[in-house]
Each structure stands twice: as C-alpha cells, then as structure tokens.
Amino acid sequence: MTKLHILNGPDLGRSYDLKEGTISIGRSPDNDIQLKDRTVSRNHLIIRKKKNRYFIKDLKSQNGTFFNGNYISHDMDVEINEGVPIVIGMSVVCLGEGCLEYIMPVLDSIDLTKEIRKVDGVYVQNRKNTNQKILELIYNVSEFLAESLDIHEMSEKILNQVFNLLKRIDRGSIILLNPETGETADVISRFKKPGENQGGMYCRDVVDYVIRDRKAVCISDSRVEAGDDLADKLRSLKIGSVMCVPLIGSSQIFGAIYVDSLQKPNAFREKDLSLMKDLSRRATLAMEQVLLYEKLV
C-alpha cells in the first residue's frame, strides 16, 4: 500500500497508509492526518485516492500548497504522482519512497523555523526565502537533466537556475575539465548584468583548490578571514563572497561550479552551500549518463 511520508518539520519520519477514498490533512486533530507545523492551516488539504490515482485539493489554506513548481489553485483537484514532493506550509510530504533519498539531503540543511513570522495571531511563512524556492529549483533542474542535452547546454541551464534562486550572485561559472588531461576544456559563464565581464569570469585560485582537493569552498566574507590564502586572494580581487563546489562523478572529476558576489559580503549561507552540493551531485550523475550514451553510440 502506498504511504504518505513526512520529510521534514515537527512530524519528520512519520508515514501513513493511503486508503481508498478521501484523507484530510491539517493542524486540527479532527483531520485524518494531523500535522504539528504551525504554518499548516487547521484544515489544509485533502487527498483523494481513485483507482490507484491520487488527487489533492487545497482548502483555501493560509500559506497554500506548493506542488510541481507552483502553488495550486484553491478548490481544484490536482493529480499527483509518487515520488514528487508536496509543500504544505513549511512541511514537505511525499507519496511513495522516491523522495526519501532525493529531497531529504537538501531539507536536512534548512532551518525552516527562521522563515516563520506571526501575523495577526497566525504563523505565516516568508515565501521569498523558504524551501518552496529550493524545491522549485530542484524540479526545474531535474526536468532538464532528464532530457537529452549535451553537457554544455546542461551547464548553461544549471547556471540560469542558480541565478534565479540566489539573487546576490554577480558572476557564475561552470568549469569543465578534459577527462583525459585534467586541463580546462570549457568554461560556461554568466554575469548578473550583460557586458559586465570585467576582471575575469572567476577566481582561478578558488577553482584550482576545489578541483585539486575535491572539497567545496564557501567564504561568506573575505574581509574577516585574515590569514587565509584564498580569502587574501579574494580581497585582492575585490570579491566579497564566494562559493565553489566540485563536480565529482563515480570515476572522475568533471570540473566545478563557481559563484561569487563582488561587492556584497555575507551573500551566501550554509543552506546555499548545501543546495550547491546537491546540484553538483545531480549534475554529475547526468553528465555520466551523457558520456555513457556517447560511448554507446
């Protein structure tokens, strides 16, 4: 029998069998599934099972129901599939086992309690900074990684999605290596403003360190990390913040994803780095599939 899994929040780890008919979810104890999340409405939504198909309907909840990259309309039945996460207030739920490995590593790094404020006695989430935006990026990245793309095109789309989420980025690059020589084979870059390519596309010292040691780097404020060689280099280049993660496959390193903020320190947080690591993992899996396909054909 298909189960509904709670992936985060106060009810993390709980699961429920989904039987035929209608199941109500909300904060009130009168629901079939009661959630303790303060941002979940008393009667938030219902799930209907009809002949092995599942449908959800939002019951005009305060904070809405986020599914498949969008908030669903009130009082409208929306069909859902197993393995696709649903955001209810600040809680993430999922039908089937597919989300447990796929979404959990990202959600584990997010402190959702910091995203809640109280308005007129009701706990409301800050939608601009919550996990909905992160899940939207994961949806979009997963969608185009599943397509038949070449690695260059894949890298361009990843950068576009990162810029959509992390608003304080000034520059971003994906550096791809030649698998045989380990030398730089391609650099895909994007700048916040067109024609802003001044002083290079990325800090080479940071990228070289990440590729050599195969470790992610996040320097939130280069001004305060005295004695650190990378921070010293960033200050000399007038770079306030930087994140860089390696693209490591099962048998090789493909390169690195690099983003920075030139004038603004503290542009990136711990959960941003966790998101970048998750994107790196997904991207390298897709790159390995592309290379395998190219060898087969």
Side-chain angles (χ1 to χ4, degrees):
M1 180 178 292
T2 300
K3 291 181 178 289
L4 179 77
H5 298 276
I6 313 298
L7 301 185
N8 75 322
D11 303 285
L12 170 66
R14 292 166 60 189
S15 61
Y16 303 86
D17 291 331
L18 294 180
K19 301 178 181 179
E20 198 76 25
T22 300
I23 296 174
S24 60
I25 301 177
R27 205 175 68 253
S28 168
D30 298 332
N31 290 281
D32 298 305
I33 298 176
Q34 181 187 12
L35 298 180
K36 299 176 184 178
D37 185 342
R38 297 176 298 179
T39 62
V40 170
S41 295
R42 291 182 60 80
N43 299 289
H44 200 106
L45 85 160
I46 56 176
I47 298 179
R48 290 194 180 100
K49 182 180 180 182
K50 302 177 182 178
K51 297 181 180 180
N52 295 321
R53 297 172 65 191
Y54 296 93
F55 300 84
I56 57 173
K57 177 187 285 187
D58 183 88
L59 302 177
K60 297 183 179 179
S61 62
Q62 174 74 34
N63 287 314
T65 300
F66 185 85
F67 172 73
N68 206 23
N70 296 286
Y71 285 94
I72 66 174
S73 300
H74 296 317
D75 295 326
M76 178 179 179
D77 283 324
V78 176
E79 185 170 5
I80 57 175
N81 299 316
E82 292 189 23
V84 180
I86 306 163
V87 181
I88 306 171
M90 282 292 192
S91 294
V92 180
V93 304
C94 178
L95 273 67
E97 307 293 333
C99 288
L100 296 180
E101 181 178 356
Y102 196 57
I103 300 297
M104 285 292 289
V106 181
L107 295 180
D108 285 345
S109 68
I110 304 171
D111 184 359
L112 300 180
T113 59
K114 294 180 179 179
E115 315 288 358
I116 301 173
R117 67 188 191 280
K118 199 170 184 178
V119 179
D120 297 330
V122 177
Y123 289 98
V124 180
Q125 63 188 355
N126 181 357
R127 289 186 177 180
K128 292 182 179 179
N129 296 310
T130 58
N131 51 323
Q132 281 90 334
K133 288 292 184 182
I134 294 174
L135 288 176
E136 183 177 357
L137 182 143
I138 292 173
Y139 280 127
N140 293 336
V141 170
S142 299
E143 183 176 350
F144 65 71
L145 289 183
E147 300 172 357
S148 297
L149 301 170
D150 64 37
I151 293 178
H152 185 101
E153 183 178 357
M154 190 184 299
S155 300
E156 288 181 339
K157 292 194 173 186
I158 290 173
L159 273 184
N160 289 339
Q161 293 299 324
V162 171
F163 267 83
N164 287 339
L165 180 70
L166 304 177
K167 300 301 182 182
R168 301 187 75 180
I169 293 176
D170 288 318
R171 303 183 302 182
S173 292
I174 293 182
I175 298 90
L176 299 175
L177 302 180
N178 183 311
E180 296 180 359
T181 66
E183 300 296 322
T184 300
D186 197 3
V187 178
I188 299 91
S189 296
R190 178 177 164 178
F191 302 88
K192 189 171 186 177
K193 297 178 181 178
E196 201 176 34
N197 185 8
Q198 297 178 2
M201 296 176 288
Y202 58 89
C203 176
R204 183 172 295 276
D205 292 64
V206 169
V207 172
D208 288 346
Y209 172 85
V210 166
I211 291 175
R212 182 185 68 245
D213 288 14
R214 302 192 176 196
K215 293 181 180 179
V217 165
C218 180
I219 298 177
S220 295
D221 190 346
S222 63
R223 302 173 305 176
V224 300
E225 301 198 24
D228 184 283
D229 291 341
L230 290 181
D232 292 343
K233 184 63 176 182
L234 294 175
R235 283 195 297 274
S236 70
L237 296 173
K238 298 182 179 180
I239 298 173
S241 302
V242 69
M243 278 196 304
C244 188
V245 295
L247 292 164
I248 303 176
S250 58
S251 60
Q252 68 182 87
I253 182 166
F254 289 89
I257 306 176
Y258 171 99
V259 294
D260 67 20
S261 176
L262 298 178
Q263 302 300 324
K264 299 174 184 176
N266 301 311
F268 309 122
R269 295 169 289 178
E270 183 178 346
K271 68 178 184 181
D272 297 328
L273 182 61
S274 295
L275 175 63
M276 291 284 284
K277 289 179 179 178
D278 186 76
L279 288 178
S280 169
R281 181 176 64 85
R282 298 173 197 278
T284 50
L285 286 172
M287 288 175 180
E288 287 182 325
Q289 291 299 315
V290 170
L291 292 178
L292 177 61
Y293 174 78
E294 290 176 351
K295 289 180 180 179
L296 291 176
V297 296

